[in-house]
Amino acid sequence: MERGVPAIDIQDFPGQYQKLREACEVWGCFRIVNHKVPLELMSEMKAVVRSLLDLPFEIKKRNTDVIAGSGYMAPSEKNPLYEALGLYDMGSPQAVQAFCSQLDASPHQREVIENYAQGIHELVMDIAAKMAESMGLDSESFMEWPCQFRINKYNFTPETVGSSGVQIHTDSGFLTILQDDENVGGLEVMDSSGSFIPVDPWTGTFLVNLGDMATVWSNGRWCNVRHRVQCKEATIRVSIATFLLGPKEEVVEAPQKFVDSEKPRLFAPITYEDYRKLRFSTKLQAGEALALVHATS
Ligand SMILES: O=C(O)CCC(=O)C(=O)O
Ligand SMILES: [Fe+2]
C-alpha cells in the first residue's frame, strides 16, 4: 500500500478509477500527476502571484469582496503570518479582467493569469467529472458551478518557525486544486487516524482537496480533508488555490443512487451560499458545520 497522499495519473483512465475512489473515501485528497497544464505556465504564474502579493497594502486592499471572504485578506489575529488576494468566479473572463485591473496588472501578467485560469478551469471540470464517474455516475456536469480563486502568501521569518501559518480547516466547497509552493513545505493533511501528515512539495503537480460540499454530495462517502499550514522554514511561502464551490442557485444534495435503506440521506439539501453563511456565522471552519445540516428524516 502506498504511504502518504495518493497520486493519480490523470491520463490513465479508466485505469485509475478505483484508486481515485479510494483516495476520495479514505483521504479526501490526492496529487494529480501527468496533467496538461504546462510546467512553464505554472512557474510563470507563481512569479506573477508573488509580485501581486508583494504590492503595497494600499493597492492590495482594492481587491474587495464579491462574496464574503473572496477579496483581499490582510494578516489577522488568527492567522498573523498569512495574507491572500482573491477572485470570485474564475470561469468568467470579465471577473478575471476586473481582478487584474484592481491590481494594475501588466499586459504580460494578465496573459499569464488568463491562460492559467483557463487551464485550471478545464482541469477542475475534468477532475470533478472523473470523481463522479468513479462512483458510477457518468453524466454529471459541474460546468455551471462557479470557482473562487485565491493566492496565498505566508510571511515566515526565523522568529515564526514552529508556529501556525493557517489554522486547521476544511475547504467549504466541493473540491480545491492547489498549486502548493514547489520549494517550501509546511502543508499538512489529517489522515484517517487523525494524525497530521506533511505534504511534501512536488514540482509540476497539483494537490486536490475535497471540501464540505463533496461530503454532502456523496452522502458522506467522501472525506472533507482537514488541513493546515505550519511554518517550517524562515522564508516566504506562496500557494495558488482554485475552489470549485457549488451550484450558484440550486441546492447541493446527494444523487438518489447514493441513498438507500443502508445509507439513508445524511444531509438536508442546502445551497452552497447558505452553507457558506452558516460557516461564517458559526465560525466552524473545520467541517463541524456539517453537523448542523443533518437530514431530519
Ligand atoms: O497554502 C496552502 O498550501 C494551503 C492553502 C489552503 O488550505 C487554502 O487556501 O484553503
Ligand atoms: Fe484549505
Side-chain angles (χ1 to χ4, degrees):
M1 184 119 155
E2 197 168 30
R3 289 180 63 223
V5 173
I8 302 290
D9 179 345
I10 192 92
Q11 313 257 12
D12 178 27
F13 277 83
Q16 302 263 294
Y17 278 128
Q18 180 64 23
K19 192 172 176 190
L20 175 60
R21 184 177 172 147
E22 279 168 20
C24 293
E25 289 173 354
V26 176
W27 284 88
C29 70
F30 47 90
R31 279 268 179 210
I32 287 287
V33 302
N34 217 6
H35 57 79
K36 297 215 170 89
V37 182
L39 188 57
E40 195 189 345
L41 180 58
M42 291 177 76
S43 54
E44 280 181 336
M45 183 63 180
K46 169 86 189 288
V48 167
V49 156
R50 175 66 200 262
S51 54
L52 295 179
L53 285 159
D54 284 346
L55 286 167
F57 171 74
E58 298 311 314
I59 296 186
K60 287 188 280 202
K61 73 175 188 203
R62 289 194 220 145
N63 173 225
T64 46
D65 281 358
V66 173
I67 58 171
S70 74
Y72 179 60
M73 248 183 275
S76 64
E77 212 172 299
K78 252 195 324 188
N79 295 309
L81 310 179
Y82 168 85
E83 62 181 312
L85 290 159
L87 148 65
Y88 174 70
D89 206 357
M90 183 212 219
S92 149
Q94 294 86 332
V96 174
Q97 287 309 324
F99 171 79
C100 290
S101 299
Q102 285 168 340
L103 299 170
D104 296 336
S106 69
H108 167 74
Q109 288 177 324
R110 277 178 198 257
E111 193 185 333
V112 172
I113 294 170
E114 280 164 17
N115 290 342
Y116 188 87
Q118 202 184 343
I120 293 291
H121 197 254
E122 278 168 28
L123 183 60
V124 171
M125 292 303 151
D126 188 19
I127 294 169
K130 285 189 163 62
M131 282 166 48
E133 285 158 17
S134 79
M135 304 294 283
L137 293 167
D138 50 22
S139 60
E140 292 297 320
S141 170
F142 299 88
M143 269 321 268
E144 301 302 315
W145 294 22
C147 287
Q148 183 187 342
F149 180 62
R150 191 158 75 203
I151 56 183
N152 304 312
K153 180 183 182 191
Y154 301 85
N155 297 296
F156 293 159
T157 64
E159 295 72 40
T160 66
V161 173
S163 58
S164 162
V166 149
Q167 283 187 321
I168 176 171
H169 67 281
T170 59
D171 296 341
S172 60
F174 188 76
L175 72 81
T176 308
I177 293 196
L178 184 76
Q179 180 178 334
D180 50 330
D181 196 296
E182 77 280 23
N183 300 312
V184 189
L187 175 62
E188 298 178 346
V189 297
M190 196 183 271
D191 72 7
S192 54
S193 73
S195 315
F196 276 108
I197 309 290
V199 178
D200 294 327
W202 184 352
T203 304
T205 71
F206 294 100
L207 186 77
V208 173
N209 287 336
L210 305 198
D212 295 352
M213 285 295 115
T215 298
V216 172
W217 190 82
S218 64
N219 200 24
R221 284 170 170 82
W222 288 341
C223 171
N224 50 341
V225 64
R226 288 175 194 211
H227 54 287
R228 67 180 182 186
V229 177
Q230 294 289 102
C231 172
K232 296 271 162 77
E233 285 177 59
T235 182
I236 302 286
R237 180 175 184 278
V238 166
S239 67
I240 308 171
T242 304
F243 305 95
L244 176 62
L245 301 177
K248 260 201 177 114
E249 268 139 33
E250 300 98 88
V251 292
V252 176
E253 58 184 332
Q256 204 52 45
K257 186 165 182 201
F258 298 160
V259 183
D260 54 40
S261 54
E262 262 168 49
K263 260 224 171 256
R265 192 172 288 283
L266 283 177
F267 304 101
I270 186 165
T271 62
Y272 172 72
E273 195 186 337
D274 283 347
Y275 184 68
R276 190 173 171 115
K277 283 187 192 145
L278 184 67
R279 281 203 16 159
F280 271 104
S281 64
T282 57
K283 299 195 168 66
L284 297 171
Q285 297 299 316
E288 308 90 335
L290 283 178
L292 307 173
V293 194
H294 270 284
T296 44
S297 59

